Amino acid sequence: MGVRVRIRLLGPVELRTGAADFTALPGAQRRAVLALLALRLGRVVTVDAFCELLWGEWPPASARAALQGHVAALRKALAATPFVLHTRAPGYLLTGPSDEVDALRFEALAGRAAGHAGRHDGCAGAAGCADPDGCAGCAADGAAVAVLEEALRLWRGGALADLPDTAPRRALVEQLDQVRTRVLIAWAGLRLRQGSGAAAVPLLEQSVRADGLREEVVALLVRCLHQGGRQADALAAYHRARTRLDGELGIRPGPALQAAFAEVLAGGGGAPPTPRRSRPAGPAPTTPGPGRPAPQAHPVPDQLPRRPVDFVGRETELQWLDRLTGPDRADDGPALVVGPAGVGKSATVLTWAHRAAGRFPDGRLFADLRGFDPDGPADPAEVLGRFLLALGVPASEIPPDGAGRAARYRDRTHGRRLLVVLDNALDAEQVGDLLPGGAGCAVVVTSRGSLEGLLVAEGAALLRLAPLGEADALRLLERGLTPARVRAEPAAAALLAGLCDRLPLALRIAVARLAARPEWTIAELADELADERTRLGALEADGVAGVCEALELTYRHLSLDATLLFTLLAAHPGREVDTTASAALLGADPAHARDTLGELVAHHVLAETAPGRYGRPGLVRLFGVQLLTETPEGFRRIGTERLLDYYLEAAHHCGEQLEPGQDRYGEPVHPPTALPTAAGTRGALDWFAAEEPAIRALVTATASTDPGRSWRLAAAACPLYYGSSRFTDWLDCLRAGEQAARACGDRVGLALLHGAVANALLGLERRQEAVEVARRAVEDTTPADGAAHLRALATLALASALTGDPGEATRLAATAAALAGEGGDPRHLSYALGYQAGVSLLAGDGAGALRQAREARALLPGRPASSIQLWSMLTEAQALQALGRYEAGELAWHRVLATCEEAGLLHLQALAEQYYAAFLVDRGREPEAVGRMRSALGRLRSCGHLAGATSERAAAIEEALNARAGRTP
């Protein structure tokens, strides 16, 4: 090349400052600045354009200072070159010779080649030119080929390969790749016309590996392979492209690709064929003689790979395969074994196949269909060719096309007892032509996908392979480490198996690491794997596809929406997620989210644990976290914001069933597309029971990163925590919410959470602490702060009454009720009156308690199962009992117990059972009282989240029961 390039962009960004070799500039951002200046040589590049290229949409505050530093360093580096870097408002300008920038030189060469286009009058190109010296058109083609090859040699890999991955960088790369593809197509077309298409195959194959959906490039590859005499490879390239077009885009090959395929089938379009020596179809026939057996009518192939040596367990699955493929099976549909990467599908099937080989006297065929291989799946036509050869069909008699081979295969397998194992299938279409034609043949297929099409079209029977059971996982460890080593550390071994998700692949890698390090204990490796940041890396091994690589291969086969959701799910802290939360993460409607979740389930990276709920194994979750950390910070932030806004709205929506008209504390920035169905109080509590761990984890995780949403979510969940009696978890959530409110300086929010903390402490029977926290909430607010002050007053009143200060409690409760009445909001007044009724009852004012409880209930007539209604009903029943109105009290007790049962409020129901038992004792109905006490005890024990409060109240009830049974507690 006459001109020496100094700035290289078509690969890693490099600079030649003198006669020496190219060097990579230090720092990806500095290289990005040089690249943008060089690509826009002679034009001013704005500061904003640099910032967007370097940092995306969210440049740091120090961006301009950092850019100035990069420019200063580049000026020094460019001093010994013909390039000069100028400051030009509103940015910077690079000047110098354009042909010394490889990307600009590449574009110039591409333009020059277009001017060499030749005319071929009656000439089909060099291969068919009538002029022995070549016509003018052929000469022009030769010149264009030389120029285009010079241009293509400038590429050293992906353009701008070592720059920060931002949207502008991807746009620049796409522009350069488009020009490169046009040049490649022009050059390969000319090579094909010259009869030298085989020379273009390596570059075409490289392009197809990078992007197999560009049909014009694939069509040229098919034709060039065919012209080079590689018909089988040409057909394979076509079928790979057809499968990808259908699977990823849902389309059939276009005219160019179909024409190339037809050309190969017809045998045209290539250079004149080179005579080949014929290949014998098989061994020469032999004549039987003494000591020599007669030849078999058919060859008996045995293509099974060797039997797995460290296989354990799976006896139920092996028996299932025995039944499904045995002589007494009900149908001849294939057996389909599916499951996640690394679960042992191939090992299970191969172990069974070797065990059952004797039942198939006509042979065993095996093919790895490479469904999730990075180089693409196997072409069924190629597999059929190998099967036919193994079945004794001479190579010269094997049809060239897939349909012909499939027909010959079905005919050849008819009437035989063959076993066909199709391992690692991509989809049902890949398998269809590989199913044999005889009822005596058995087929077993494995796949990471569910292959539902095979169930529908071929009546396949499905077996989902789950991780190993705990006992079998330990046996696998013993197999590799010796039983003595495993049994010496039983707890550590069980922990290690759990950290490996009991996946055979992960367990084998763990075994290999321990076997290579005999000085390590099992506990030491378990400690390393317990760190979620490094667990996936620790489950990799040299020369073996580890867990991360296996998951990566599955991930590559997901649709765009499925990869997006899979990545965003890493922002969800729960072990399970439902459809509506997934829809919020995607910003899509629930139907679309359901389809996308279904795709993830079909690829076994999620499992549907219940209708509409999906769980993730630990290693899959960590792989998603790894993917998420590699995305831009803005993408991660939006995912978390969507999740928080969804749970804020969902908690408010469900909390309305327990506390109608609760305050919202702001509107969502990302309104969710759908909310959970809350069918009454019980439905709301069922939803919360499933989602509470995720809500608490979100509040805790975002207390410092998004404190405004964090404390609001803690506040919105309060009615649900109270209604579900999860006082210990509630307190943990509220403590994180307090930290968040404090971080964003929200005085009213902090006081509101203090009041909620006091309520949670009362639920845990920590009454004195409740008084102190509630008093702080009252002191930190004023009547102008509305609900925060009012609720703090009511809570402090009740806590004071429970700690033996009825006078102060009565005063506080009256103040709260008066403020609520002045505010005119029936919700707040009902709340204050309900608490006042409880205070009056504790102060010995039964009549006042009865009146206030009924007034509280009358203010919310349509919500009989709301928390304040039930609390007021409970107080009303106790007040009637205190006033000696036993008949009315009996009716009130039955009403409150029935309503609590219907609403599913276990704690309130346990309290009602306990207090009703006291009513029955007063009435002399001891046997009934004992029954109610036992019922209350059972309900309290089912409220495991009450912790200390449960044990204290349960102990009191047990003491009463023991006393009535005549035993000393």
Side-chain angles (χ1 to χ4, degrees):
M1 188 183 303
V3 177
R4 300 188 68 191
V5 171
R6 288 186 179 272
I7 298 176
R8 296 205 297 203
L9 310 177
L10 304 179
V13 175
E14 296 174 333
L15 173 68
R16 189 206 306 269
T17 55
D21 289 338
F22 284 94
T23 58
L25 290 166
Q29 292 185 342
R30 189 165 301 169
R31 294 192 292 272
V33 173
L34 175 62
L36 190 55
L37 287 165
L39 284 171
R40 299 184 182 176
L41 190 71
R43 292 178 288 164
V44 174
V45 183
T46 67
V47 171
D48 288 345
F50 284 117
C51 289
E52 191 177 0
L53 175 64
L54 298 181
W55 294 285
E57 297 180 27
W58 296 278
S62 60
R64 286 180 178 269
L67 176 59
Q68 290 169 355
H70 293 317
V71 168
L74 285 174
R75 282 201 174 105
K76 293 180 181 178
L78 293 168
T81 74
F83 295 97
V84 180
L85 180 50
H86 312 270
T87 300
R88 293 284 189 275
Y92 300 95
L93 166 72
L94 184 68
T95 58
S98 62
D99 56 355
E100 294 193 25
V101 179
D102 62 353
L104 303 182
R105 179 165 175 76
F106 173 75
E107 293 179 352
L109 289 170
R112 191 198 312 169
H116 285 291
R119 292 179 56 194
H120 296 268
D121 299 323
C123 167
C129 187
D131 187 339
D133 297 322
C135 67
C138 291
D141 280 356
V145 165
V147 173
L148 292 172
E149 286 178 350
E150 181 183 347
L152 290 169
R153 279 196 297 269
L154 292 169
W155 285 79
R156 297 165 294 110
L160 312 178
D162 52 354
L163 300 193
D165 187 20
T166 58
R169 179 254 182 191
R170 291 192 291 272
L172 292 171
V173 170
E174 184 177 358
Q175 292 171 10
L176 292 168
D177 282 345
Q178 287 175 353
V179 180
R180 182 187 193 184
T181 301
R182 290 199 298 270
V183 168
L184 176 64
I185 288 170
W187 171 71
L190 289 171
R191 278 289 195 181
L192 194 67
R193 191 157 66 186
Q194 289 179 328
S196 57
V201 166
L203 281 184
L204 289 170
E205 286 181 328
Q206 182 183 11
S207 178
V208 169
R209 280 196 297 271
D211 184 354
L213 300 177
R214 293 180 294 206
E215 292 190 57
E216 193 172 2
V217 178
V218 179
L220 279 168
L221 174 61
V222 170
R223 296 178 66 200
C224 288
L225 285 167
H226 175 48
Q227 192 176 72
R230 296 169 59 185
Q231 282 75 13
D233 291 334
L235 291 170
Y238 168 80
H239 285 297
R240 277 195 297 269
R242 175 182 58 80
T243 300
R244 287 197 63 186
L245 288 167
D246 180 47
E248 298 183 29
L249 302 180
I251 62 175
R252 298 176 62 83
L257 191 50
Q258 289 187 28
F261 179 57
E263 195 174 276
V264 177
L265 293 181
T274 304
R276 299 185 182 182
R277 296 177 63 183
S278 60
R279 176 181 173 184
T286 57
T287 304
R292 176 182 293 167
Q296 293 177 308
H298 301 292
V300 179
D302 190 357
Q303 297 181 332
L304 293 177
R306 67 186 183 91
R307 186 172 187 161
V309 295
D310 58 351
F311 184 82
V312 298
R314 304 294 193 196
E315 196 57 41
T316 300
E317 291 83 355
L318 296 174
Q319 291 173 8
W320 182 86
L321 286 166
D322 278 334
R323 288 193 303 272
L324 197 70
T325 59
D328 299 327
R329 68 185 188 274
D331 55 57
D332 57 356
L336 177 57
V337 180
V338 302
V343 79
K345 302 179 292 296
S346 301
T348 299
V349 169
L350 284 175
T351 297
W352 169 83
H354 280 279
R355 191 169 81 172
R359 289 169 20 203
F360 302 96
D362 291 323
R364 281 75 56 191
L365 298 176
F366 175 89
D368 179 1
L369 299 184
R370 306 194 312 271
F372 294 81
D373 194 279
D375 293 329
D379 184 352
E382 291 183 357
V383 175
L384 284 169
R386 294 197 299 271
F387 280 2
L388 288 171
L389 284 172
L391 292 169
V393 178
S396 59
E397 298 179 13
I398 295 177
D401 63 301
R405 292 181 177 188
R408 188 67 182 272
Y409 171 66
R410 288 192 296 271
D411 177 69
R412 195 72 175 181
T413 55
H414 185 75
R416 294 193 183 189
R417 285 196 54 74
L418 277 166
L419 171 62
V420 181
V421 177
L422 304 174
D423 193 31
N424 195 18
L426 176 63
D427 52 30
E429 183 179 357
Q430 189 188 26
V431 170
D433 285 346
L434 302 176
L435 301 179
C441 298
V443 182
V444 184
V445 183
T446 75
S447 180
R448 296 185 191 182
S450 291
L451 270 59
E452 293 181 3
L454 204 62
L455 305 180
V456 175
E458 303 294 342
L462 180 67
L463 172 65
R464 294 189 183 276
L465 208 59
L468 292 172
E470 185 172 346
D472 285 335
L474 293 176
R475 282 179 57 204
L476 183 55
L477 292 177
E478 290 178 355
R479 184 74 62 89
L481 300 175
T482 74
R485 189 173 177 185
V486 173
R487 291 169 188 170
E489 299 181 79
L495 175 60
L496 178 65
L499 291 169
C500 292
D501 285 351
R502 300 200 304 275
L503 287 175
L505 172 62
L507 288 166
R508 289 189 185 99
I509 293 173
V511 164
R513 294 197 63 196
L514 285 169
R517 299 166 178 81
E519 71 280 2
W520 278 34
T521 65
I522 296 175
E524 286 171 331
L525 180 58
D527 286 343
E528 181 180 344
L529 294 183
D531 187 342
E532 292 192 343
R533 297 168 298 179
T534 58
R535 188 183 307 169
L536 283 175
L539 291 175
E540 300 295 315
D542 293 338
V544 177
V547 174
C548 194
E549 183 177 347
L551 289 169
E552 175 69 30
L553 294 177
T554 301
Y555 178 78
R556 291 178 188 175
H557 283 79
L558 299 174
S559 68
L560 179 60
D561 280 347
T563 60
L564 179 64
L565 179 57
F566 182 78
T567 305
L568 284 171
L569 281 174
H572 193 287
R575 295 289 177 178
E576 291 186 351
V577 66
D578 67 3
T579 304
T580 49
S582 300
L585 278 170
L586 268 179
D589 60 81
H592 183 71
R594 194 175 299 111
D595 290 343
T596 308
L597 288 162
E599 182 181 347
L600 295 175
V601 171
H603 282 83
H604 295 95
V605 290
L606 292 184
E608 192 165 13
T609 56
R613 294 198 63 81
Y614 304 85
R616 292 170 291 173
L619 295 175
V620 172
R621 180 178 57 83
L622 293 179
F623 179 67
V625 170
Q626 180 175 302
L627 292 174
L628 186 63
T629 58
E630 295 169 358
T631 63
E633 191 274 335
F635 177 85
R636 299 195 298 272
R637 185 175 67 246
I638 287 176
T640 303
E641 287 178 356
R642 285 178 175 176
L643 203 59
L644 281 165
D645 280 351
Y646 164 75
Y647 277 114
L648 270 166
E649 292 298 292
H652 177 83
H653 172 69
C654 292
E656 279 283 304
Q657 300 296 322
L658 292 103
E659 189 177 311
Q662 58 179 315
D663 295 324
R664 296 182 60 85
Y665 312 110
E667 296 296 323
V669 177
H670 309 284
T673 57
L675 293 172
T677 301
T681 302
R682 186 176 288 274
L685 292 177
D686 286 345
W687 174 82
F688 185 67
E691 298 291 347
E692 187 279 331
I695 290 173
R696 178 159 37 98
L698 266 178
V699 171
T700 303
T702 60
S704 58
T705 57
D706 196 345
R709 286 185 174 88
S710 175
W711 82 256
R712 284 157 46 209
L713 178 55
C718 284
L720 296 161
Y721 271 110
Y722 181 82
S724 59
S725 309
R726 300 179 72 113
F727 294 109
T728 302
D729 293 335
W730 188 16
L731 193 58
D732 290 341
C733 183
L734 289 170
R735 295 300 192 198
E738 285 179 318
Q739 176 190 340
R742 200 174 289 115
C744 59
D746 197 307
R747 176 185 59 82
V748 175
L750 185 57
L752 185 76
L753 293 172
H754 283 338
V757 167
N759 265 312
L761 290 169
L762 286 177
L764 291 169
E765 308 285 352
R766 292 159 60 178
R767 296 170 177 175
Q768 193 56 51
E769 290 179 71
V771 169
E772 295 167 4
V773 175
R775 181 171 289 116
R776 190 188 322 155
V778 171
E779 293 170 352
D780 290 345
T781 53
T782 68
D785 293 321
H789 183 70
L790 175 66
R791 288 170 178 261
L793 275 174
T795 303
L796 179 57
L798 182 60
S800 298
L802 289 168
T803 53
D805 192 351
E808 176 69 1
T810 301
R811 184 187 66 79
L812 290 167
T815 302
L819 283 173
E822 293 170 7
D825 189 327
R827 302 167 303 160
H828 295 162
L829 183 55
S830 175
Y831 186 92
L833 287 170
Y835 272 70
Q836 188 182 28
V839 169
S840 297
L841 185 66
L842 290 168
D845 181 7
L850 182 62
R851 184 184 69 255
Q852 292 151 1
R854 287 177 170 173
E855 287 179 12
R857 291 181 54 212
L859 287 166
L860 296 174
R863 296 298 180 94
S866 65
S867 298
I868 200 64
Q869 279 272 24
L870 286 169
W871 174 259
S872 300
M873 289 170 67
L874 185 62
T875 304
E876 179 182 349
Q878 290 177 291
L880 288 167
Q881 179 180 342
L883 293 170
R885 297 168 59 180
Y886 296 114
E887 186 174 342
E890 180 95 32
L891 291 174
W893 280 120
H894 285 295
R895 184 168 59 244
V896 71
L897 287 167
T899 308
C900 284
E901 175 79 32
E902 181 182 352
L905 300 173
L906 291 178
H907 182 235
L908 278 177
Q909 187 165 3
L911 291 178
E913 296 263 20
Q914 183 183 6
Y915 296 148
Y916 182 45
F919 172 86
L920 293 171
V921 169
D922 285 348
R923 304 300 294 156
R925 293 152 62 180
E926 283 278 329
E928 290 180 69
V930 169
R932 289 293 178 177
M933 287 182 189
R934 287 176 177 156
S935 177
L937 188 61
R939 295 185 195 282
L940 282 171
R941 284 173 174 164
S942 68
C943 296
H945 303 284
L946 290 175
T950 301
S951 57
E952 286 184 26
R953 189 172 293 276
I957 296 174
E958 284 182 324
E959 184 177 357
L961 285 170
N962 289 335
R964 280 164 175 73
R967 295 192 297 271
T968 302

